[in-house]
Amino acid sequence: MIPNIQVLRAFAAIIVVIFHAVDEQARIGGSSGQLSFFHPWGASGVDIFFVISGFIMAFVQDNAPRSPFRFFEARIVRIFPMYFIVTVVWACATYFALRWELADTDISISYIILSLAFLSQALGYEHPFIVPGWTLEFEMLFYAIFALSLFFRRPKSLLLVAICALALLSGLSLIILEFAFGVLVALAFKNDTFRNLAPYLLPIGILGYVSSAIFELPDLGRSDLESVLFWGLPGTLIVLSSLYVRQLQAGWLILLGNASYSIYLTHTCTISVVRGVFDFSDLGPINADLYVVLTSLICIAVGLATYWLIEQPVTNYLKVKLKTRRQRTVLVHSPGG
Protein backbone atom coordinates (compact mmCIF):
# COMPACT_ATOMS: atom_id res chain seq x y z
CA MET A 1 0.00 0.00 0.00
CA ILE A 2 1.37 3.41 -0.99
CA PRO A 3 -0.01 5.99 1.48
CA ASN A 4 -0.30 8.86 -1.00
CA ILE A 5 -2.26 6.68 -3.42
CA GLN A 6 -4.71 5.85 -0.64
CA VAL A 7 -5.02 9.56 0.17
CA LEU A 8 -5.78 10.29 -3.49
CA ARG A 9 -8.41 7.54 -3.49
CA ALA A 10 -10.01 9.17 -0.44
CA PHE A 11 -9.96 12.55 -2.16
CA ALA A 12 -11.47 11.13 -5.36
CA ALA A 13 -14.28 9.37 -3.50
CA ILE A 14 -15.14 12.43 -1.40
CA ILE A 15 -15.36 14.88 -4.30
CA VAL A 16 -17.57 12.46 -6.25
CA VAL A 17 -19.85 12.26 -3.19
CA ILE A 18 -20.01 16.06 -2.97
CA PHE A 19 -20.67 16.27 -6.73
CA HIS A 20 -23.77 14.09 -6.40
CA ALA A 21 -24.88 15.82 -3.20
CA VAL A 22 -24.73 19.20 -4.98
CA ASP A 23 -26.62 17.74 -7.94
CA GLU A 24 -29.34 16.37 -5.65
CA GLN A 25 -29.61 19.64 -3.72
CA ALA A 26 -30.01 21.58 -6.97
CA ARG A 27 -32.82 19.27 -8.08
CA ILE A 28 -34.82 19.51 -4.86
CA GLY A 29 -33.85 22.95 -3.59
CA GLY A 30 -33.27 25.00 -6.70
CA SER A 31 -30.86 27.51 -5.12
CA SER A 32 -27.11 27.06 -5.35
CA GLY A 33 -24.56 27.57 -2.61
CA GLN A 34 -20.83 28.16 -2.34
CA LEU A 35 -20.19 24.47 -3.01
CA SER A 36 -21.95 24.53 -6.37
CA PHE A 37 -18.56 24.50 -8.17
CA PHE A 38 -18.35 20.79 -7.28
CA HIS A 39 -20.87 20.28 -10.07
CA PRO A 40 -19.36 19.26 -12.46
CA TRP A 41 -15.80 19.48 -11.05
CA GLY A 42 -16.40 16.76 -8.44
CA ALA A 43 -17.01 14.26 -11.23
CA SER A 44 -13.26 14.44 -11.91
CA GLY A 45 -12.78 12.01 -9.04
CA VAL A 46 -13.69 9.27 -11.50
CA ASP A 47 -10.80 10.30 -13.76
CA ILE A 48 -8.39 10.07 -10.82
CA PHE A 49 -9.80 6.64 -9.94
CA PHE A 50 -9.16 5.42 -13.50
CA VAL A 51 -5.55 6.64 -13.50
CA ILE A 52 -4.95 5.06 -10.09
CA SER A 53 -6.52 1.80 -11.25
CA GLY A 54 -4.24 1.60 -14.28
CA PHE A 55 -1.21 2.33 -12.09
CA ILE A 56 -2.09 -0.19 -9.36
CA MET A 57 -2.80 -3.04 -11.77
CA ALA A 58 0.52 -2.59 -13.58
CA PHE A 59 2.49 -1.89 -10.39
CA VAL A 60 1.17 -4.94 -8.52
CA GLN A 61 1.64 -7.21 -11.54
CA ASP A 62 5.27 -6.09 -11.81
CA ASN A 63 5.94 -6.79 -8.14
CA ALA A 64 3.84 -9.96 -7.76
CA PRO A 65 3.33 -11.52 -11.23
CA ARG A 66 0.17 -13.58 -11.66
CA SER A 67 -1.26 -15.66 -14.45
CA PRO A 68 -4.10 -14.13 -16.50
CA PHE A 69 -6.62 -16.33 -14.69
CA ARG A 70 -5.27 -15.51 -11.22
CA PHE A 71 -5.23 -11.80 -12.04
CA PHE A 72 -8.85 -11.76 -13.24
CA GLU A 73 -9.97 -13.96 -10.37
CA ALA A 74 -8.46 -11.53 -7.87
CA ARG A 75 -10.24 -8.59 -9.48
CA ILE A 76 -13.59 -10.39 -9.45
CA VAL A 77 -13.16 -11.18 -5.74
CA ARG A 78 -12.32 -7.53 -5.08
CA ILE A 79 -15.11 -5.94 -7.13
CA PHE A 80 -18.09 -8.26 -7.56
CA PRO A 81 -19.18 -9.36 -4.03
CA MET A 82 -19.72 -5.81 -2.77
CA TYR A 83 -21.34 -4.77 -6.04
CA PHE A 84 -23.70 -7.76 -5.83
CA ILE A 85 -24.59 -7.07 -2.18
CA VAL A 86 -25.25 -3.36 -2.69
CA THR A 87 -27.27 -3.99 -5.86
CA VAL A 88 -29.49 -6.65 -4.29
CA VAL A 89 -29.99 -4.72 -1.03
CA TRP A 90 -30.87 -1.52 -2.89
CA ALA A 91 -33.24 -3.36 -5.26
CA CYS A 92 -35.08 -4.89 -2.29
CA ALA A 93 -35.11 -1.60 -0.39
CA THR A 94 -36.45 0.26 -3.41
CA TYR A 95 -39.17 -2.28 -4.11
CA PHE A 96 -40.37 -2.92 -0.56
CA ALA A 97 -39.71 0.32 1.30
CA LEU A 98 -38.47 3.33 -0.68
CA ARG A 99 -41.59 3.96 -2.70
CA TRP A 100 -40.44 7.40 -3.87
CA GLU A 101 -37.65 5.73 -5.82
CA LEU A 102 -40.02 3.60 -7.91
CA ALA A 103 -41.29 6.53 -9.98
CA ASP A 104 -38.07 6.90 -11.96
CA THR A 105 -36.32 3.57 -11.33
CA ASP A 106 -36.36 0.53 -13.60
CA ILE A 107 -36.39 -2.40 -11.20
CA SER A 108 -36.83 -5.22 -13.71
CA ILE A 109 -34.94 -8.47 -13.21
CA SER A 110 -33.35 -8.20 -16.66
CA TYR A 111 -31.95 -4.74 -15.86
CA ILE A 112 -30.49 -5.93 -12.55
CA ILE A 113 -28.93 -9.01 -14.18
CA LEU A 114 -27.35 -6.92 -16.94
CA SER A 115 -26.05 -4.53 -14.30
CA LEU A 116 -24.49 -7.36 -12.30
CA ALA A 117 -22.95 -8.73 -15.51
CA PHE A 118 -21.35 -5.31 -16.18
CA LEU A 119 -23.21 -5.11 -19.50
CA SER A 120 -25.93 -2.51 -18.94
CA GLN A 121 -24.30 0.31 -20.94
CA ALA A 122 -23.17 -2.05 -23.70
CA LEU A 123 -26.79 -3.16 -24.16
CA GLY A 124 -28.37 0.27 -24.28
CA TYR A 125 -28.97 1.42 -20.71
CA GLU A 126 -27.69 4.83 -19.64
CA HIS A 127 -26.15 3.35 -16.49
CA PRO A 128 -26.48 0.21 -14.33
CA PHE A 129 -28.99 -0.15 -11.50
CA ILE A 130 -26.46 1.22 -9.00
CA VAL A 131 -25.50 4.45 -10.76
CA PRO A 132 -21.78 4.53 -9.81
CA GLY A 133 -21.53 1.06 -11.33
CA TRP A 134 -21.09 2.68 -14.75
CA THR A 135 -17.42 3.14 -13.91
CA LEU A 136 -17.12 -0.51 -12.85
CA GLU A 137 -18.19 -1.56 -16.34
CA PHE A 138 -15.19 0.34 -17.70
CA GLU A 139 -13.02 -1.13 -14.95
CA MET A 140 -14.04 -4.69 -15.85
CA LEU A 141 -13.32 -4.03 -19.52
CA PHE A 142 -9.86 -2.79 -18.55
CA TYR A 143 -9.28 -5.86 -16.36
CA ALA A 144 -10.29 -8.16 -19.21
CA ILE A 145 -7.88 -6.44 -21.62
CA PHE A 146 -5.16 -6.49 -18.96
CA ALA A 147 -5.66 -10.21 -18.32
CA LEU A 148 -5.55 -11.02 -22.04
CA SER A 149 -2.34 -9.00 -22.47
CA LEU A 150 -0.64 -11.25 -19.90
CA PHE A 151 -0.67 -14.11 -22.42
CA PHE A 152 1.94 -12.27 -24.50
CA ARG A 153 5.66 -11.57 -24.08
CA ARG A 154 5.33 -7.77 -23.94
CA PRO A 155 2.03 -7.38 -22.09
CA LYS A 156 2.21 -3.68 -21.26
CA SER A 157 2.98 -2.63 -24.82
CA LEU A 158 0.09 -4.70 -26.11
CA LEU A 159 -2.15 -3.39 -23.32
CA LEU A 160 -1.45 0.23 -24.20
CA VAL A 161 -2.06 -0.38 -27.90
CA ALA A 162 -5.30 -2.26 -27.18
CA ILE A 163 -6.65 0.49 -24.90
CA CYS A 164 -5.82 3.22 -27.42
CA ALA A 165 -7.37 1.23 -30.26
CA LEU A 166 -10.56 0.64 -28.24
CA ALA A 167 -10.84 4.30 -27.33
CA LEU A 168 -10.21 5.62 -30.82
CA LEU A 169 -11.81 3.00 -33.07
CA SER A 170 -14.64 1.31 -31.17
CA GLY A 171 -16.75 4.30 -30.21
CA LEU A 172 -16.16 3.74 -26.49
CA SER A 173 -15.65 6.71 -24.22
CA LEU A 174 -12.20 8.26 -24.48
CA ILE A 175 -11.90 8.20 -20.70
CA ILE A 176 -10.72 4.61 -21.06
CA LEU A 177 -7.42 6.23 -22.08
CA GLU A 178 -6.94 7.19 -18.43
CA PHE A 179 -6.27 3.54 -17.58
CA ALA A 180 -3.43 3.70 -20.09
CA PHE A 181 -2.16 6.86 -18.39
CA GLY A 182 -1.99 4.89 -15.14
CA VAL A 183 -0.06 2.05 -16.80
CA LEU A 184 2.41 4.63 -18.15
CA VAL A 185 2.78 6.03 -14.62
CA ALA A 186 3.69 2.52 -13.39
CA LEU A 187 6.27 2.13 -16.17
CA ALA A 188 7.79 5.53 -15.41
CA PHE A 189 7.88 4.75 -11.68
CA LYS A 190 9.51 1.36 -12.28
CA ASN A 191 12.23 2.95 -14.43
CA ASP A 192 12.56 5.95 -12.06
CA THR A 193 12.11 8.21 -15.06
CA PHE A 194 10.73 11.36 -13.45
CA ARG A 195 12.26 11.38 -9.97
CA ASN A 196 14.12 14.64 -10.54
CA LEU A 197 11.07 16.26 -12.15
CA ALA A 198 8.57 15.25 -9.45
CA PRO A 199 8.88 18.51 -7.46
CA TYR A 200 7.87 20.41 -10.61
CA LEU A 201 5.22 17.99 -11.90
CA LEU A 202 3.15 18.11 -8.70
CA PRO A 203 2.47 21.89 -8.73
CA ILE A 204 1.83 21.75 -12.50
CA GLY A 205 -0.70 18.96 -12.01
CA ILE A 206 -2.39 20.69 -9.07
CA LEU A 207 -2.50 24.01 -10.94
CA GLY A 208 -4.09 22.40 -13.98
CA TYR A 209 -6.54 20.46 -11.84
CA VAL A 210 -7.60 23.41 -9.67
CA SER A 211 -7.81 25.68 -12.72
CA SER A 212 -10.41 23.36 -14.20
CA ALA A 213 -12.61 24.13 -11.17
CA ILE A 214 -11.97 27.87 -11.17
CA PHE A 215 -12.68 28.29 -14.87
CA GLU A 216 -15.37 25.56 -14.94
CA LEU A 217 -13.51 23.46 -17.48
CA PRO A 218 -15.02 21.34 -18.81
CA ASP A 219 -18.55 22.71 -18.55
CA LEU A 220 -21.75 20.78 -17.91
CA GLY A 221 -21.91 19.71 -21.56
CA ARG A 222 -18.40 18.31 -21.42
CA SER A 223 -17.10 15.84 -23.96
CA ASP A 224 -15.03 12.80 -23.09
CA LEU A 225 -12.01 14.43 -24.71
CA GLU A 226 -12.40 17.49 -22.47
CA SER A 227 -12.57 15.26 -19.40
CA VAL A 228 -9.35 13.52 -20.43
CA LEU A 229 -7.56 16.81 -21.14
CA PHE A 230 -8.74 18.92 -18.19
CA TRP A 231 -9.05 16.18 -15.55
CA GLY A 232 -7.24 13.05 -16.73
CA LEU A 233 -3.90 14.63 -17.66
CA PRO A 234 -3.53 16.82 -14.53
CA GLY A 235 -4.68 13.84 -12.47
CA THR A 236 -1.95 11.72 -14.07
CA LEU A 237 0.72 14.27 -13.12
CA ILE A 238 -0.59 14.34 -9.55
CA VAL A 239 -0.61 10.52 -9.26
CA LEU A 240 2.91 10.27 -10.73
CA SER A 241 4.44 12.96 -8.55
CA SER A 242 2.67 11.65 -5.43
CA LEU A 243 4.85 8.54 -5.68
CA TYR A 244 8.04 10.55 -5.22
CA VAL A 245 7.11 13.21 -2.66
CA ARG A 246 6.92 12.57 1.08
CA GLN A 247 4.30 9.95 1.87
CA LEU A 248 1.50 11.26 4.09
CA GLN A 249 0.85 9.23 7.22
CA ALA A 250 -2.55 10.66 8.13
CA GLY A 251 -4.33 7.58 9.42
CA TRP A 252 -7.87 8.89 8.90
CA LEU A 253 -7.16 9.78 5.25
CA ILE A 254 -5.67 6.34 4.62
CA LEU A 255 -8.73 4.79 6.26
CA LEU A 256 -10.99 6.78 3.93
CA GLY A 257 -8.83 5.58 1.03
CA ASN A 258 -9.22 1.98 2.15
CA ALA A 259 -12.99 2.51 2.40
CA SER A 260 -13.25 4.48 -0.85
CA TYR A 261 -14.86 1.60 -2.77
CA SER A 262 -17.66 1.23 -0.22
CA ILE A 263 -18.10 5.00 0.03
CA TYR A 264 -18.26 5.31 -3.75
CA LEU A 265 -20.57 2.35 -4.28
CA THR A 266 -23.15 3.28 -1.63
CA HIS A 267 -23.22 7.07 -1.82
CA THR A 268 -25.98 7.55 -4.43
CA CYS A 269 -28.22 5.17 -2.48
CA THR A 270 -27.54 7.11 0.71
CA ILE A 271 -28.27 10.41 -1.02
CA SER A 272 -31.66 9.05 -2.12
CA VAL A 273 -32.49 7.98 1.43
CA VAL A 274 -31.45 11.40 2.82
CA ARG A 275 -33.66 13.09 0.24
CA GLY A 276 -36.59 10.88 1.24
CA VAL A 277 -36.09 11.68 4.92
CA PHE A 278 -36.10 15.42 4.20
CA ASP A 279 -39.18 15.07 2.00
CA PHE A 280 -41.21 13.15 4.57
CA SER A 281 -40.03 15.01 7.66
CA ASP A 282 -41.27 18.35 6.27
CA LEU A 283 -38.34 20.23 7.77
CA GLY A 284 -38.82 23.14 5.41
CA PRO A 285 -36.10 25.01 3.50
CA ILE A 286 -32.49 24.28 4.45
CA ASN A 287 -29.33 26.14 3.52
CA ALA A 288 -27.92 24.67 0.29
CA ASP A 289 -24.36 24.27 1.57
CA LEU A 290 -25.54 22.82 4.88
CA TYR A 291 -27.60 20.24 3.00
CA VAL A 292 -24.59 19.27 0.86
CA VAL A 293 -22.23 19.01 3.84
CA LEU A 294 -24.68 16.97 5.96
CA THR A 295 -25.51 14.65 3.07
CA SER A 296 -21.84 14.14 2.21
CA LEU A 297 -20.93 13.37 5.83
CA ILE A 298 -23.77 10.85 6.07
CA CYS A 299 -22.58 9.22 2.83
CA ILE A 300 -19.04 8.92 4.17
CA ALA A 301 -20.30 7.50 7.49
CA VAL A 302 -22.46 4.91 5.69
CA GLY A 303 -19.55 4.02 3.44
CA LEU A 304 -17.21 3.54 6.41
CA ALA A 305 -19.78 1.37 8.19
CA THR A 306 -20.24 -0.68 5.03
CA TYR A 307 -16.46 -1.10 4.74
CA TRP A 308 -16.04 -2.25 8.34
CA LEU A 309 -19.14 -4.44 8.58
CA ILE A 310 -19.39 -5.92 5.08
CA GLU A 311 -16.59 -5.21 2.60
CA GLN A 312 -13.61 -6.01 4.81
CA PRO A 313 -15.02 -9.25 6.33
CA VAL A 314 -16.40 -10.53 3.01
CA THR A 315 -13.24 -9.74 1.05
CA ASN A 316 -10.97 -11.27 3.70
CA TYR A 317 -13.14 -14.39 3.89
CA LEU A 318 -13.07 -14.90 0.13
CA LYS A 319 -9.31 -14.32 -0.05
CA VAL A 320 -8.77 -16.99 2.63
CA LYS A 321 -11.07 -19.40 0.78
CA LEU A 322 -9.20 -18.80 -2.48
CA LYS A 323 -5.83 -19.27 -0.81
CA THR A 324 -6.99 -22.51 0.82
CA ARG A 325 -8.34 -23.81 -2.49
CA ARG A 326 -5.07 -23.03 -4.25
CA GLN A 327 -3.06 -24.79 -1.55
CA ARG A 328 -5.25 -27.87 -1.87
CA THR A 329 -4.81 -27.78 -5.65
CA VAL A 330 -1.03 -27.64 -5.26
CA LEU A 331 -1.09 -30.59 -2.83
CA VAL A 332 -3.28 -32.68 -5.14
CA HIS A 333 -0.96 -32.08 -8.10
CA SER A 334 2.30 -32.47 -6.17
CA PRO A 335 4.33 -35.69 -6.62
CA GLY A 336 3.32 -36.90 -3.17
CA GLY A 337 -0.31 -35.84 -3.49
Side-chain angles (χ1 to χ4, degrees), residues 31-332:
S31 62
S32 59
Q34 298 301 313
L35 296 175
S36 60
F37 73 91
F38 275 96
H39 194 285
W41 184 71
S44 63
V46 168
D47 301 74
I48 293 177
F49 272 133
F50 283 179
V51 175
I52 290 174
S53 182
F55 164 74
I56 290 177
M57 294 306 104
F59 177 77
V60 171
Q61 184 64 23
D62 272 339
N63 289 276
R66 291 166 291 181
S67 69
F69 174 77
R70 289 279 171 85
F71 167 82
F72 201 72
E73 181 183 57
R75 300 322 301 160
I76 291 293
V77 167
R78 177 71 182 90
I79 297 297
F80 184 74
M82 273 301 299
Y83 188 46
F84 177 84
I85 291 169
V86 173
T87 298
V88 171
V89 169
W90 185 243
C92 293
T94 300
Y95 186 79
F96 292 108
L98 310 180
R99 311 306 294 181
W100 67 84
E101 279 294 303
L102 286 179
D104 51 12
T105 301
D106 182 352
I107 201 169
S108 65
I109 296 297
S110 60
Y111 181 32
I112 293 172
I113 291 173
L114 287 177
S115 298
L116 290 173
F118 304 101
L119 293 173
S120 65
Q121 294 173 98
L123 295 179
Y125 286 95
E126 183 179 357
H127 55 71
F129 183 70
I130 299 295
V131 176
W134 75 266
T135 63
L136 298 184
E137 297 190 356
F138 281 95
E139 290 271 1
M140 293 306 296
L141 176 61
F142 168 62
Y143 298 155
I145 298 170
F146 195 106
L148 290 173
S149 74
L150 298 178
F151 284 105
F152 298 88
R153 291 185 60 185
R154 297 175 61 87
K156 290 190 182 65
S157 299
L158 181 65
L159 175 65
L160 292 170
V161 170
I163 291 174
C164 292
L166 269 175
L168 299 175
L169 303 177
S170 69
L172 283 174
S173 171
L174 290 177
I175 60 174
I176 197 173
L177 290 172
E178 291 164 354
F179 293 111
F181 294 168
V183 174
L184 289 172
V185 168
L187 287 171
F189 185 55
K190 178 182 179 181
N191 297 321
D192 216 19
T193 307
F194 294 101
R195 177 177 292 277
N196 294 331
L197 293 176
Y200 308 101
L201 295 178
L202 182 58
I204 292 172
I206 292 175
L207 179 63
Y209 193 64
V210 173
S211 296
S212 70
I214 295 173
F215 297 106
E216 298 184 357
L217 299 170
D219 61 20
L220 289 173
R222 66 189 184 276
S223 68
D224 294 336
L225 178 60
E226 288 176 318
S227 294
V228 171
L229 292 177
F230 294 117
W231 293 340
L233 288 178
T236 301
L237 293 179
I238 293 171
V239 171
L240 173 61
S241 55
S242 74
L243 301 170
Y244 292 105
V245 299
R246 183 174 64 87
Q247 297 297 304
L248 297 174
Q249 300 299 329
W252 64 277
L253 281 175
I254 293 174
L255 170 63
L256 289 174
N258 293 339
S260 60
Y261 182 46
S262 285
I263 293 170
Y264 178 75
L265 204 55
T266 60
H267 80 276
T268 54
C269 304
T270 305
I271 287 172
S272 293
V273 173
V274 171
R275 184 193 73 209
V277 170
F278 270 92
D279 286 346
F280 285 103
S281 60
D282 195 25
L283 293 174
I286 184 172
N287 176 270
D289 290 330
L290 178 60
Y291 181 88
V292 170
V293 169
L294 287 175
T295 301
S296 299
L297 288 174
I298 293 170
C299 287
I300 292 169
V302 170
L304 282 170
T306 303
Y307 170 71
W308 280 320
L309 299 175
I310 302 175
E311 181 188 348
Q312 205 171 31
V314 168
T315 303
N316 290 340
Y317 171 78
L318 291 174
K319 285 181 177 178
V320 169
K321 293 290 286 185
L322 274 178
K323 186 176 181 180
T324 303
R325 191 190 70 184
R326 288 169 184 167
Q327 290 172 341
R328 288 175 180 168
T329 302
V330 169
L331 288 173
V332 167

